[in-house]
């Protein structure tokens, strides 16, 4: 049977290397759509959790999907990544591609996965890279590694690149609805990958050459980073001008061609803070200085410091000093309604406050740890006797805080520093809080 037939009747066996925030949702969707999936991960804890029918990640709807897929026998996980390659007709690589300390792309996880594939590669297999790559990396790094097998990409096996584009907290929904961009080392490779993805998404399937698709993924996230940087700069200006930046942005977004994002405490996560550096580094190799992209990174990387300055200013308004105060930090996760702390702005905020001898007590409804300060999942524990309440993450729970009740347990006067505009400034000021906010 040809691979295209095996894809159309779902008899092809799918292997996925990387059972993380994207790999596991992908695996459960394929499994629940009738494909037999073998998931590979080097983390034994993740593998055991999945094979118990439970999800090692928190993501809307994932628990049910994993339970169903495993109990139906359509999804199994293993640490034996070589078995995943040997046993599968199609292998997807969905591992992280962070940056190193010098802000250069760190492709070690991808190289490791691709090396495992190369050692176990057989003719006729389809390999799809979903991990975000710098433009040119498939040609420069992935293909040479795969061809160490002695097989030729596009001739003896198929190779495609199709980066994930789903947003954490709506990953399952977006994988099944978003348009998908697909690049193939040959047209046939692109067609096979398109046929496969047509089983899981109702979104448009757009094909192009691999290098263009690599670039597209990176500019999508860079576009968002630059947009947020502009709103953060507007916010800092508005604080000096005495204008409410959030209201101004809301009014500007009424314009048919304006869609400014929200200012805040910084840009976290494992994608947007690093993908622009994929561009910056590639451009540097070519003698080009991406000024807009680099400046935007600097603006967003500076926002935690801006929040710390606001905290100092807010405490001063109550004749208090950071080194003599208890500060309640609300939010550890990098954004609202997720447990993901990768690249979170709150790390720098908490660690710097502690270096300044501040008594830091943090809270987060989704996360079970902090950065060596005091932590509780019970918000009252953090707020009680605090000199200042600081909001770093926009969890929904923080959008309905009972300020009147907090006034009774906070030290007087109540001081709020809102980094995500989850608290209504007017309401807080009516209750005599000293309200400070990014962009207020
Ligand atoms: N943020 C702001 N202001 C905003 C929006 C976000 O400060 O108006 C901050 C968030 O608080 C967070 C960071 O930016 O700290 C990133 O959050 P996000 O929701 O913008 O994006 P991610 O990182 O969760 O997911 C992004 C998405 N990319 C785009 O929307 C272009 C997602 O579609 C990608 O799949 C994902 O990166 C990825 O994995 O690349």
């Amino acid at each position: 049977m040809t691979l295209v037939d095996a894809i159309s009747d779902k008899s092809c066996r799918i292997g996925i290397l990387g059972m993380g925030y994207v790999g596991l949702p992908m695996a459960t969707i394929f499994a629940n759509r009738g494909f037999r999936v073998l998931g590979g991960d080097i983390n034994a804890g993740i593998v055991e959790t999945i094979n118990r029918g439970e999800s090692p990640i928190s993501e809307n709807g994932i628990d049910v999907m994993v339970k169903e897929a495993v109990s139906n026998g359509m999804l199994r996980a293993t640490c034996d990544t070589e078995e995943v390659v040997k046993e599968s007709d199609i292998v997807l690589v969905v591992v992280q591609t962070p940056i190193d300390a010098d802000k250069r792309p760190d492709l070690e996880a991808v190289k490791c996965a691709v090396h495992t594939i190369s050692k176990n590669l057989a003719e006729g297999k389809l390999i799809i890279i979903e991990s975000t790559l710098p433009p040119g990396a498939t040609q420069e790094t992935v293909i040479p590694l795969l061809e160490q097998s002695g097989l030729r990409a596009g001739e003896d096996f198929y190779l495609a690149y199709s980066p994930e584009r789903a947003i954490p907290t709506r990953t399952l929904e977006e994988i099944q609805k978003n348009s998908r961009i697909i690049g193939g080392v040959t047209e046939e490779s692109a067609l096979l990958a398109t046929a496969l993805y047509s089983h899981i998404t109702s979104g448009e399937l757009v094909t192009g050459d691999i290098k263009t698709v690599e670039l597209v993924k990176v500019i999508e996230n860079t576009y968002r980073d630059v947009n947020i940087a502009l709103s953060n700069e507007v916010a800092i200006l508005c604080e000096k001008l005495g204008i409410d930046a959030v209201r101004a942005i809301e009014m500007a977004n009424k314009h048919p061609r304006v869609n400014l994002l929200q200012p805040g405490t910084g840009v976290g996560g494992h994608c947007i803070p690093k993908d622009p550096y994929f561009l910056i580094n590639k451009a540097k190799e070519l003698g080009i200085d991406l000024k807009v992209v680099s400046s935007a990174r600097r603006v967003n990387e500076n926002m935690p410091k801006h929040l710390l300055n606001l905290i100092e200013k807010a405490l001063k308004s109550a004749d208090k000093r950071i080194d003599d105060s208890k500060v309640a930090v609300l939010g550890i996760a990098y954004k609202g309604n997720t447990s993901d702390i990768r690249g979170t702005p709150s790390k720098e905020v908490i660690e710097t406050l502690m270096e300044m001898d501040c008594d830091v007590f943090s809270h987060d409804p989704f996360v079970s740890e902090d950065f060596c300060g005091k932590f509780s999942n019970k918000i009252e524990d953090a707020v009680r006797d605090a000199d200042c309440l600081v909001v770093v993450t926009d969890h929904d729970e923080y959008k309905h805080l009972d300020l009147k009740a907090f006034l009774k347990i906070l030290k007087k006067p109540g001081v709020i520093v809102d980094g995500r505009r989850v608290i209504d400034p007017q309401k807080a000021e009516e209750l005599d809080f000293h309200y400070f906010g990014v962009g207020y």
Side-chain angles (χ1 to χ4, degrees):
M1 175 182 273
T2 63
L3 186 53
V4 70
D5 292 342
I7 290 174
S8 84
D9 72 5
K10 302 183 185 179
S11 61
C12 60
R13 298 159 304 160
I14 298 176
I16 300 183
L17 297 179
M19 289 287 105
Y21 281 89
V22 177
L24 180 59
M26 289 293 296
T28 60
I29 291 169
F30 275 119
N32 289 327
R33 299 257 176 143
F35 290 90
R36 199 167 290 287
V37 181
L38 183 54
D41 202 291
I42 53 175
N43 181 320
I46 286 177
V47 166
E48 283 156 22
T49 306
I50 293 170
N51 288 337
R52 281 201 307 271
E54 296 163 17
S55 171
I57 63 166
S58 86
E59 178 61 45
N60 296 333
I62 193 75
D63 299 316
V64 180
M65 294 281 276
V66 172
K67 192 161 184 217
E68 209 176 303
V70 171
S71 59
N72 294 343
M74 298 305 282
L75 171 61
R76 183 171 66 83
T78 176
C79 288
D80 183 349
T81 51
E82 299 210 18
E83 179 199 359
V84 172
V85 181
K86 286 182 195 138
E87 297 298 318
S88 306
D89 307 301
I90 301 175
V91 182
L92 279 68
V93 175
V94 197
V95 295
Q96 288 197 45
T97 50
I99 47 176
D100 62 22
D102 303 320
K103 312 241 186 229
R104 282 196 300 259
D106 171 359
L107 302 184
E108 283 318 305
V110 165
K111 288 179 188 170
C112 179
V114 169
H115 181 62
T116 302
I117 296 172
S118 183
K119 282 197 300 180
N120 301 281
L121 195 52
E123 286 197 25
K125 284 188 192 290
L126 168 62
I127 310 302
I128 305 178
I129 310 293
E130 289 219 1
S131 305
T132 302
L133 293 175
T138 300
Q139 194 62 44
E140 293 154 17
T141 305
V142 174
I143 291 176
L145 266 174
L146 287 172
E147 293 191 342
Q148 284 175 2
S149 63
L151 301 174
R152 308 270 311 147
E155 290 170 29
D156 306 315
F157 65 92
Y158 306 102
L159 175 64
Y161 175 71
S162 183
E164 60 77 22
R165 303 162 103 192
I167 203 156
T169 73
R170 294 202 309 276
T171 301
L172 287 166
E173 174 201 334
E174 291 211 346
I175 288 173
Q176 298 176 87
K177 286 201 183 121
N178 279 9
S179 71
R180 207 169 240 282
I181 47 178
I182 300 163
V185 71
T186 57
E187 199 178 327
E188 199 180 358
S189 296
L191 285 175
L192 285 169
T194 304
L196 180 72
Y197 287 119
S198 68
H199 283 289
I200 62 164
T201 182
S202 56
E204 186 187 356
L205 300 170
V206 186
T207 57
D209 67 276
I210 288 186
K211 197 153 76 171
T212 300
V213 174
E214 288 166 334
L215 180 82
V216 169
K217 169 61 191 183
V218 176
I219 59 177
E220 288 168 357
N221 279 347
T222 303
Y223 161 78
R224 198 161 173 84
D225 197 42
V226 171
N227 187 324
I228 297 168
L230 175 57
S231 78
N232 280 330
E233 281 207 319
V234 167
I236 292 169
L237 174 62
C238 283
E239 287 168 23
K240 297 279 183 205
L241 287 170
I243 291 173
D244 180 348
V246 171
R247 178 71 186 127
I249 288 169
E250 194 185 323
M251 293 162 78
N253 285 347
K254 304 282 182 203
H255 186 289
R257 285 175 293 283
V258 175
N259 179 26
L260 256 177
L261 292 170
Q262 294 303 308
T265 56
V267 172
H270 63 293
C271 311
I272 299 192
K274 59 103 178 170
D275 287 356
Y277 287 110
F278 283 13
L279 274 187
I280 291 167
N281 280 288
K282 181 51 74 177
K284 218 181 271 171
E285 282 171 25
L286 302 166
I288 301 167
D289 177 12
L290 297 179
K291 296 184 181 62
V292 171
V293 178
S294 309
S295 308
R297 270 286 82 221
R298 279 197 297 280
V299 169
N300 290 337
E301 283 164 0
N302 188 54
M303 290 313 285
K305 282 188 194 59
H306 180 69
L307 188 77
L308 287 157
N309 294 341
L310 274 182
I311 295 170
E312 196 145 25
K313 198 172 158 197
L315 284 167
K316 212 184 225 155
S317 77
D319 298 324
K320 294 180 177 178
R321 295 195 326 273
I322 282 190
D323 63 0
D324 189 24
S325 295
K326 171 183 175 180
V327 170
V329 171
L330 302 188
I332 304 280
Y334 83 92
K335 69 174 189 178
N337 311 321
T338 178
S339 62
D340 196 340
I341 63 169
R342 289 172 293 180
T344 180
S346 54
K347 185 170 190 300
E348 181 180 344
V349 173
I350 291 173
E351 289 180 347
T352 309
L353 284 172
M354 293 186 66
E355 281 158 21
M356 299 167 82
D357 294 329
C358 179
D359 176 16
V360 183
F361 205 124
S362 53
H363 168 269
D364 192 295
F366 293 86
V367 173
S368 55
E369 61 171 312
D370 70 328
F371 304 107
C372 56
K374 285 175 273 185
F375 175 84
S376 169
N377 286 118
K378 266 181 81 239
I379 197 164
E380 288 75 21
D381 294 348
V383 173
R384 187 166 286 102
D385 300 328
D387 297 280
C388 179
L389 191 67
V390 177
V391 178
V392 181
T393 308
D394 53 344
H395 291 307
D396 284 351
E397 176 178 326
Y398 299 151
K399 295 172 183 166
H400 316 288
L401 296 175
D402 182 348
L403 294 183
K404 276 203 183 107
F406 280 3
L407 259 183
K408 295 192 185 98
I409 58 174
L410 279 165
K411 284 220 189 101
K412 301 284 179 287
V415 176
I416 291 175
V417 176
D418 185 354
R420 292 287 179 190
R421 194 55 66 93
V422 295
I423 294 169
D424 177 343
Q426 276 74 45
K427 274 215 188 93
E429 287 168 345
E430 278 157 22
L431 290 166
D432 292 332
F433 275 97
H434 291 208
Y435 179 94
F436 289 74
V438 170
Y440 188 74

